[in-house]
Amino acid sequence: MAKGAWAMGADFSLADCAAAPSLFYGSMVVPFNDAQQDLKAYFERLKTRPSFARVLKEAEPYFQMVPKER
């Protein structure tokens, strides 16, 4: 993942779909820090996927219900 690949290699797969929700909610509670640059970059790539970006946009009204770092 450090070189821009996806979870299981060069192609986006179901593994990436499975990782996305956990990374999303986990980053809301404890944001990624400098020691997790590769993971942060991977998550940023996930967020640019059109389908994931659409899900995030549609879920925005509900974000206030999710506990997050204060």
Side-chain angles (χ1 to χ4, degrees), residues 28-48:
M28 288 181 79
V29 176
V30 180
F32 301 122
N33 61 36
D34 291 339
Q36 300 151 333
Q37 287 298 320
D38 294 341
L39 185 59
K40 185 176 181 177
Y42 169 68
F43 184 55
E44 291 302 317
R45 287 193 305 278
L46 279 173
K47 290 192 307 187
T48 64

Side-chain angles (χ1 to χ4, degrees), residues 7-24:
M8 296 301 293
D11 297 323
F12 185 80
S13 72
L14 190 57
D16 301 295
C17 295
S22 297
L23 292 174
F24 175 75

Side-chain angles (χ1 to χ4, degrees), residues 3 9 16 21 23 53 64-65 68:
K3 297 180 181 173
D16 301 295
L23 292 174
Q64 64 186 349
M65 297 177 190
K68 55 184 167 247

